[in-house]
Amino acid sequence: MPPTDATTLLRDAALRVTRPRLAVIEQLQRHPHADADTITQAVRADLGKVSTQAIYDVLAALTEVGIVRRIEPARSPARYEMRIGDNHHHAICRTCGAITDVACAIGAAPCLDPIDAHGYAIDEAEVIYWGTCPVCRAALDDAPAAPSVSAD
């Protein structure tokens, strides 16, 4: 996603423009899929003292107005990204936890039509592909074979 003017995003969403909100947006533009702790550390490096609760409040406000998307992979803290509204999914490495955006496999929102919605009015689908990223796969390929233990 190309950097977007954070001030415009906030004003268009009827949110006050504050230094913590601007800093969080800037960090998410630099680091998509960051968790709240990573964002907090980066914002503190830019602004100095900012409470953890302030960062969570900013993330909640940005998520509520649709500037930010919250994803919640299993066995992982919630992650935040600014790529919204395009029905993309994610691939997550089981080894290092890296997250990569994956375009919808078939086209425009095909996965919104489950075989049986059980009465739900489905408006969004989230798919997570789990596997091993190229960096971890290469490291595994380069790792020496474990020595065999003889039963002498």
Side-chain angles (χ1 to χ4, degrees), residues 4-134:
T4 302
D5 178 52
T7 300
T8 301
L9 285 173
L10 292 169
R11 287 186 177 145
D12 287 351
L15 291 176
R16 283 189 4 243
V17 177
T18 64
R19 289 181 67 222
R21 286 178 178 164
L22 292 171
V24 166
I25 290 170
E26 182 180 334
Q27 291 307 318
L28 285 172
Q29 288 176 332
R30 286 186 195 161
H31 309 287
H33 311 124
D35 62 26
D37 289 339
T38 301
I39 296 165
T40 300
Q41 291 171 6
V43 168
R44 285 180 180 155
D46 286 348
L47 300 182
K49 185 173 177 146
V50 178
S51 74
T52 301
Q53 187 60 52
I55 300 301
Y56 277 99
D57 291 346
V58 168
L59 289 168
L62 296 176
T63 301
E64 185 175 322
V65 297
I67 293 173
V68 168
R69 178 179 175 194
R70 175 185 167 120
I71 60 172
E72 299 181 53
R75 301 174 305 280
S76 176
R79 306 298 182 106
Y80 298 88
E81 66 180 347
M82 293 190 62
R83 183 175 168 187
I84 58 169
D86 66 349
N87 196 46
H88 76 279
H89 305 300
H90 298 94
I92 303 176
C93 179
R94 291 184 190 277
T95 304
C96 70
I99 300 176
T100 303
D101 290 335
V102 177
C104 195
I106 302 174
C111 36
L112 294 180
D113 297 317
I115 292 171
D116 183 356
H118 301 280
Y120 285 76
I122 305 296
D123 60 17
E124 182 179 4
E126 186 170 311
V127 175
I128 296 179
Y129 300 96
W130 293 90
T132 307
C133 73

